[in-house]
Amino acid sequence: SNGITRPKGHKVSFHYNSQVEDMHFGKTHPMKPWRLTLTKHLVLAYGLQHTMETHLALPATSAQVQAFHDPDYVQFLSEVSPQTFKALCTQPRYQKFIPAKHDPPYDAVELGPFNLSTSPGADCPVFDGMSTYLFLYTGATLAATNQLLTSQSDIAISWSGGLHHAHKAEASGFCYINDIVLSILDLLHLFPRVLYIDIDVHHGDGVEEAFQRQPRVMTLSYHRYGPYDETGHRFFPGTGSLDDNGLKGTVGEHFALNVPIPSGIDDRQYKYLFESITSRAIDAYKPKAIVLQCGADSLGGDRLGQFNINIKQHGECVSFVKKQGLPLLILGGGGYTARNVARAWCHETALATDNGSNLPDKIPIDLIPRPQAFTGRAHGDGQLFPKFQRDHKNDCVDSELEMMVKRLEW
Ligand code: TV1
Ligand code: CA
Ligand code: ZN
């Protein structure tokens, strides 16, 4: 025995299908589905599969995906591949989804309908096996959701999900199907109020937009946000300011909360923001279920992120939400430095099963072949808690963070 034990008093399930690992968005594209291979291997190496139920996910059906998405979009996604893209684009039913023009300097990317593209620099490329990938990550999240709805799990985990930018009839920011919106729509059949919390470094715009008229869902996103840079762009997607609080004049007003954060925030500052704002939101809203998007691009050293938080603090957000004792759906999301994504999500799997303090820094067993990322000297050789080196300049001022917390108090 390696000290890993089953949780007492609650049940955890893990929903996944390894087929998602084989997908490639493109050679230089930052989204790497093989970070999920690393995560799985690390979870297995620590023996965490013995502390929870592991479920093989099946693909979501088109009917399930249409609960939120436009039927034309769903049909396109179910048929699209690099081979079929051009022919599909010429079909009459899709013409109204082709954009007239878009912003420079991204006009190098030729866009088809639904913000999809086969150009190399596209955020949402059409790649081999894409349909399989999309319906599988969605299926995993919906199966996890069903476990909560049927009280078969208290915590359900879907690391391949959490794709918060997808819109009703448009892919955006590496996201095609919004598995989070679909999950919350299912949860609303049973739970009167659902709280969505998003610690990905990007604003959870797709989820917020879907529920902006809906008081039964409160969305709360923590994200990098700031003024326009030298190139005339904002940190993606550019939304989620402090005074973005749900659609004005509708019953959904005041049921969206946004915490815009300057670059370089450290553990102490993030803990302060997360715990004071999340606890106030929970006290005021009294949700009956929580969906937590755990995007790992908020970690220091992320290829796209600009925060300095460590795995320990990222995990403390998960623990803080878990200790509320509500049905909890844990999702993945962004995360672009693959070895750190795996470390964080493995650690958080351990936290969900009450094994957070039981993982030794060195991987205990060597039964399965392990990716080089966990053994090579170049990568800090198998440490679960690496010290992040590439720090961003910390532009967070404590007094300004305090003012933000006050302004978010109702
Ligand atoms: C292909 C090849 C695509 C290299 C995209 C970084 C690339 C990016 C690439 C990239 C990149 C973004 C934008 C500007 C949209 C554009 C999973 C018109 C080195 C949840 C999505 C970020 C984050 C999208 C997703 C962003 C998530 N950043 N190299 N693209 N505009 N897109 O800024 O929240 O983590 O960067
Ligand atoms: Ca976020
Ligand atoms: Zn992100």
Side-chain angles (χ1 to χ4, degrees), residues 164 196-204 220-224 270 293:
H164 58 179
Y196 171 67
I197 306 172
D198 184 319
I199 62 170
D200 190 288
V201 76
H202 298 96
H203 176 221
L220 166 56
S221 177
Y222 296 83
H223 45 267
R224 172 77 176 91
Y270 199 91
Q293 196 268 21

Side-chain angles (χ1 to χ4, degrees), residues 63-114:
Q64 285 178 307
V65 177
Q66 285 180 27
F68 171 57
H69 291 284
D70 188 292
D72 288 324
Y73 181 47
V74 178
Q75 182 64 34
F76 195 95
L77 292 182
S78 68
E79 292 187 71
V80 74
S81 74
Q83 290 72 41
T84 62
F85 184 65
K86 271 223 155 69
L88 279 175
C89 287
T90 64
Q91 287 190 15
R93 71 187 288 197
Y94 300 126
Q95 295 315 302
K96 65 175 180 200
F97 299 104
I98 299 177
K101 67 171 194 74
H102 44 94
D103 304 340
Y106 297 95
D107 45 13
V109 171
E110 207 185 306
L111 288 183
F114 313 112

Side-chain angles (χ1 to χ4, degrees), residues 2 4 14 16 21 34-52 159 299 311 337-350 353 355 358-375 379-386:
N2 59 359
I4 302 283
F14 185 97
Y16 187 64
E21 299 168 2
W34 55 264
R35 69 206 175 119
L36 297 162
T37 316
L38 302 193
T39 306
K40 176 187 72 182
H41 282 198
L42 205 47
V43 163
L44 294 174
Y46 280 107
L48 291 171
Q49 70 277 25
H50 302 301
T51 68
M52 58 190 177
W159 291 129
L299 295 172
I311 288 167
T337 300
R339 61 191 181 278
N340 294 337
V341 177
R343 287 163 164 146
W345 290 350
C346 173
H347 173 55
E348 288 162 14
T349 304
T353 62
N355 284 293
N358 299 344
L359 302 192
D361 209 24
K362 290 277 180 189
I363 300 165
I365 60 167
D366 233 325
L367 297 177
I368 54 166
R370 211 185 305 137
Q372 189 269 343
F374 293 109
T375 55
H379 290 142
D381 84 274
Q383 301 225 316
L384 193 61
F385 293 102

Side-chain angles (χ1 to χ4, degrees), residues 26 29 32 112 178 189 269 399:
H29 197 289
K32 308 287 185 196
N178 200 316
H189 290 135
Q269 293 168 322
S399 60

Side-chain angles (χ1 to χ4, degrees), residues 25-31 35 102-106 115 119-125 161-165 172-175 198 200-204 233-237 293 295-297 303-304 332-336:
F25 279 60
K27 231 183 175 157
T28 60
H29 197 289
M31 179 56 99
R35 69 206 175 119
H102 44 94
D103 304 340
Y106 297 95
N115 195 31
S119 305
D123 272 358
C124 299
L163 299 170
H164 58 179
H165 298 305
S172 171
F174 320 160
C175 305
D198 184 319
D200 190 288
V201 76
H202 298 96
H203 176 221
H233 291 88
R234 283 195 142 119
F235 192 75
F236 186 86
Q293 196 268 21
D297 48 7
R303 183 172 160 206
L304 296 189
Y336 305 99

Side-chain angles (χ1 to χ4, degrees), residues 65-313:
V65 177
Q66 285 180 27
F68 171 57
H69 291 284
D70 188 292
D72 288 324
Y73 181 47
V74 178
Q75 182 64 34
F76 195 95
L77 292 182
S78 68
E79 292 187 71
V80 74
S81 74
Q83 290 72 41
T84 62
F85 184 65
K86 271 223 155 69
L88 279 175
C89 287
T90 64
Q91 287 190 15
R93 71 187 288 197
Y94 300 126
Q95 295 315 302
K96 65 175 180 200
F97 299 104
I98 299 177
K101 67 171 194 74
H102 44 94
D103 304 340
Y106 297 95
D107 45 13
V109 171
E110 207 185 306
L111 288 183
F114 313 112
N115 195 31
L116 299 174
S117 175
T118 46
S119 305
D123 272 358
C124 299
V126 170
F127 53 89
D128 274 317
M130 171 164 147
S131 284
T132 305
Y133 167 80
L134 303 181
F135 287 85
L136 276 179
Y137 79 64
T138 305
T141 296
L142 293 182
T145 305
N146 196 52
Q147 284 286 119
L148 301 177
L149 283 169
T150 55
S151 305
Q152 293 182 86
S153 302
D154 302 288
I155 302 178
I157 301 174
S158 171
W159 291 129
S160 57
L163 299 170
H164 58 179
H165 298 305
H167 301 285
K168 189 178 161 68
E170 194 187 300
S172 171
F174 320 160
C175 305
Y176 304 76
I177 295 175
N178 200 316
D179 60 303
I180 309 170
V181 171
L182 293 170
S183 163
I184 295 174
L185 287 172
D186 278 353
L187 293 172
L188 288 175
H189 290 135
L190 183 67
F191 301 109
R193 288 176 308 283
V194 176
L195 174 64
Y196 171 67
I197 306 172
D198 184 319
I199 62 170
D200 190 288
V201 76
H202 298 96
H203 176 221
D205 59 345
V207 184
E208 178 182 317
E209 181 189 70
F211 297 113
Q212 61 181 340
R213 309 159 182 276
Q214 175 59 276
R216 290 182 57 203
V217 180
M218 174 175 278
T219 59
L220 166 56
S221 177
Y222 296 83
H223 45 267
R224 172 77 176 91
Y225 179 89
Y228 291 99
D229 63 19
E230 316 76 50
T231 65
H233 291 88
R234 283 195 142 119
F235 192 75
F236 186 86
T239 50
S241 70
L242 200 58
D243 41 46
D244 167 2
N245 296 123
L247 197 59
K248 291 200 179 19
T250 74
V251 287
E253 191 175 355
H254 308 304
F255 293 97
L257 286 177
N258 284 295
V259 187
I261 303 172
S263 76
I265 190 169
D266 64 26
D267 289 340
R268 180 187 58 80
Q269 293 168 322
Y270 199 91
K271 184 183 182 66
Y272 165 72
L273 282 182
F274 186 84
E275 297 191 356
S276 47
I277 295 168
T278 304
S279 62
R280 278 171 175 82
I282 291 171
D283 290 349
Y285 190 62
K286 301 188 169 53
K288 294 293 182 184
I290 300 182
V291 175
L292 178 60
Q293 196 268 21
C294 300
D297 48 7
S298 43
L299 295 172
D302 188 81
R303 183 172 160 206
L304 296 189
Q306 300 183 1
F307 289 170
N308 289 337
I309 69 174
N310 285 280
I311 288 167
K312 183 167 178 292
Q313 179 49 44

